[in-house]
Amino acid sequence: MEAAEFDYIVVGAGSAGCVVANRLSADPSVRVCLVEAGGSDNSLRVKVPAGILSLYGNPNYDYCFVGVPQPELNNRRIPVNRGKALGGSSSINSMVYIRGAAEDYDEWARLGCAGWAYRDVLPVFRKLERNLLGQDPRYHGSDGELLVDSPRDPNELSSMFVKAGKNAGLPANADFNAESQFGLGIYNVTQDRGQRFSSFSAFMRPVLHRRNLTLLSECEVIDLAVAQGRATGLRVQHDGQQKTLSASREIVLSAGAINSPKILMASGIGPAAELRQIGIAPLLDLPGVGKNLQDHVDGMITVRSRSTRTLGLSIANLPRMAAAPFQYFARRKGMLTTNYVEAGGFAKTRHANGLPDIQFHFVPGYRSHRGRLIEYGHGYAIHTCVLRPKSVGEIKLSRDGSRRDVLIDHRFFTHEDDAMVLVEGIKIARRIFASPEFDAVRGKEMLPGKDVRGDDEILAYLRAEALTVYHPVGTCKMGTDDMAVVDPATLKVRGVDGLRVADASVMPKLIGGNTNAPSMMIGQKVSEMILGSGRSGGK
């Protein structure tokens, strides 16, 4: 078995991990290793925004997790797409730049996470951001590495959607990351001149020349090495053989809300009784590992339209499709620039308690009523998700003895409030689509269908069709209660020295919005914690 020694090892080259590896390796006196299970992101499928359709469910870029049967969703198993490549999920996501509401972070602070209130995290978001739109400097940064722009060539239906919001009492909102999220607008995106700009693009690719930085891709973590209460290294599978990577200072798990708890449990760190049941000797009884899983449950309305003003695969659209590659590579314009969810926004149902409780992702193209990624024809669709779900699930290791397979149980709709909110959200989405703005492209509602009108009928539809928008969080939550896994002040794993977690799994509650940017913020925060501890210098 080969061995290699470093000062710091960061597990996961995703949204948070790339930030951590960048910041730690800025000190040339320390040796930093970034470990990623996935491979290269150097593909047009990743770089060209419209290539996203070829990434979901593709095992070259996606872990292709599938959850356990959900009793409240007709025992369906829900796909859980997570990025498996340099950049992690920021290399397969829709590139939407959303931070969540200020109140989300203030709630974290009220839950015992001092130092994580909005006033604490806003400067961190600003530090990371290079806003190309000239947006309000009170909320946006201009000197960071992460490029934030608007879509290069949004489809005309995206603007139509924003205008149609008036029909549902939703104003236009030009900046969801400023004073208020409420309303509809064109989303900001993490792109560089119409090309995907992942966390790897922003924080790692520019510093790969650093001699003290080692990047190991296609390197799967088996478990942690822990000696006398201290994490000392990793066992990994790399280049067809098992290796040991040693960390003289610290290991930072940034493998995401699925894989970070998986690695802990595979190492004997987690709920002791559950680990014994699957044949793992508990090293540390930490009952919160894998618990507190939260995600945005989502319902869709999809409409078929004859209008070729929408994105679509059709004979009538062949000239536009044929021109798309030339438009993209010559001017970064045309169909290939779309991230498919160019517009969206935030609304309040009658159940809302002050803040918006639903989010929209509008698609100016036909979303298959049969679950296909690509469907012939034209149309448009709107995804509606529950922003702050009350249903809480968990992640466990399976009983197959591999220590690698996970059981993902969202427990969607186990709290009836989530179902009630999503039913109301579908009604609001329909009011938007009923606006005269859509008259010129109006077509047949395929899902839920015009006959699905009452609350019970809409709920039955959601039980049959609802999915997720892939924002899992919370499975290694920070806090001060008995179920907390990490200390909010340090993100250190309770009871283990030399080990921290820094990714969406540390969120105590799911934020109201997309989780890519908040994960980067968490990566920056833990970097400052480590650097501030005075341990980043020489040995």
Side-chain angles (χ1 to χ4, degrees), residues 6 42 65 74 84 86 92 168 178 180 191-192 203 215 235 246 263 265-266 296 326 336 364 407-408 451 457 481 504:
F6 304 93
N42 189 25
F65 293 122
N74 295 355
K84 187 180 182 181
L86 297 175
I92 71 167
S180 171
Q191 292 183 4
D192 178 11
F203 300 101
L215 172 63
R235 283 196 309 138
S246 297
I263 291 169
M265 289 186 285
H296 290 134
F326 300 98
L336 294 182
L407 303 175
I408 303 170
D451 296 329
E457 293 171 326
D481 61 280

Side-chain angles (χ1 to χ4, degrees), residues 181-193:
Q181 289 184 316
F182 185 68
L184 305 184
I186 303 295
Y187 281 131
N188 287 358
V189 291
T190 51
Q191 292 183 4
D192 178 11
R193 293 166 297 165

Side-chain angles (χ1 to χ4, degrees), residues 250 485-487 490-494 496 498-501 535:
E250 294 193 27
V485 175
V486 297
D487 181 346
T490 61
L491 296 190
K492 290 182 178 179
V493 175
R494 296 168 62 182
V496 185
L499 180 62
R500 306 192 199 219
V501 180
R535 302 196 62 206

Side-chain angles (χ1 to χ4, degrees), residues 217-297:
S217 59
E218 298 182 338
C219 182
E220 182 185 6
V221 175
I222 300 171
D223 56 18
L224 298 163
V226 181
Q228 298 178 333
R230 181 177 186 81
T232 60
L234 306 170
R235 283 196 309 138
V236 301
Q237 192 77 21
H238 186 234
D239 288 340
Q241 56 186 314
Q242 199 171 106
K243 302 179 181 180
T244 298
L245 308 179
S246 297
S248 63
R249 296 190 178 181
E250 294 193 27
I251 297 168
V252 181
L253 293 182
S254 297
I258 308 298
N259 282 323
S260 284
K262 182 191 81 168
I263 291 169
L264 289 176
M265 289 186 285
S267 308
I269 301 170
E274 294 178 10
L275 294 177
R276 289 191 189 97
Q277 288 176 356
I278 58 174
I280 296 176
L283 187 68
L284 174 66
D285 185 11
L286 205 55
V289 174
K291 310 305 181 186
N292 194 47
L293 173 65
Q294 299 161 57
D295 202 347
H296 290 134
V297 64

Side-chain angles (χ1 to χ4, degrees), residues 301 350-351 419-428 430 445 447-463:
I301 298 174
R350 61 188 179 89
H351 303 295
M420 293 166 58
V421 167
L422 194 49
V423 167
E424 293 299 316
I426 294 293
K427 293 179 185 177
I428 296 173
R430 274 178 160 165
E445 181 183 292
L447 290 177
K450 64 181 179 65
D451 296 329
V452 178
R453 307 307 302 181
D455 287 7
D456 290 343
E457 293 171 326
I458 296 173
L459 179 56
Y461 162 71
L462 293 171
R463 292 191 191 282

Side-chain angles (χ1 to χ4, degrees), residues 259-468:
N259 282 323
S260 284
K262 182 191 81 168
I263 291 169
L264 289 176
M265 289 186 285
S267 308
I269 301 170
E274 294 178 10
L275 294 177
R276 289 191 189 97
Q277 288 176 356
I278 58 174
I280 296 176
L283 187 68
L284 174 66
D285 185 11
L286 205 55
V289 174
K291 310 305 181 186
N292 194 47
L293 173 65
Q294 299 161 57
D295 202 347
H296 290 134
V297 64
D298 178 86
M300 179 180 71
I301 298 174
T302 186
V303 176
R304 269 204 187 278
S305 169
R306 294 181 180 275
S307 175
T308 56
R309 295 163 68 182
T310 70
L311 300 174
L313 177 65
S314 68
I315 294 175
N317 204 31
L318 280 177
R320 194 166 155 208
M321 294 167 61
F326 300 98
Q327 291 177 312
Y328 181 80
F329 292 107
R331 299 186 296 122
R332 296 289 170 87
K333 295 285 186 178
M335 293 173 59
L336 294 182
T337 66
T338 186
N339 65 333
Y340 295 100
V341 288
E342 300 166 346
F346 300 83
K348 302 175 186 179
T349 72
R350 61 188 179 89
H351 303 295
N353 185 19
L355 292 176
D357 54 352
I358 54 170
Q359 181 179 3
F360 300 120
H361 292 87
F362 174 72
V363 182
Y366 185 62
R367 288 303 310 270
S368 172
H369 60 288
R370 290 178 278 216
R372 298 174 180 173
L373 280 176
I374 298 176
E375 179 91 24
Y376 185 84
H378 290 267
Y380 47 91
I382 185 169
H383 290 269
T384 305
C385 71
V386 178
L387 274 184
R388 295 172 183 85
K390 296 178 181 178
S391 301
V392 177
E394 66 178 358
I395 293 171
K396 295 182 177 182
L397 288 181
S398 71
R399 297 173 179 268
D400 64 5
S402 70
R403 301 192 182 198
R404 298 182 181 183
D405 295 331
V406 288
L407 303 175
I408 303 170
D409 186 0
H410 286 96
R411 296 179 185 161
F412 285 134
F413 283 3
T414 52
H415 197 297
E416 65 177 0
D417 286 4
D418 296 346
M420 293 166 58
V421 167
L422 194 49
V423 167
E424 293 299 316
I426 294 293
K427 293 179 185 177
I428 296 173
R430 274 178 160 165
R431 289 206 293 274
I432 297 171
F433 277 179
S435 168
E437 292 288 342
F438 280 96
D439 284 350
V441 295
R442 195 164 302 285
K444 179 182 179 181
E445 181 183 292
M446 302 297 292
L447 290 177
K450 64 181 179 65
D451 296 329
V452 178
R453 307 307 302 181
D455 287 7
D456 290 343
E457 293 171 326
I458 296 173
L459 179 56
Y461 162 71
L462 293 171
R463 292 191 191 282
E465 299 289 345
L467 295 170
T468 160

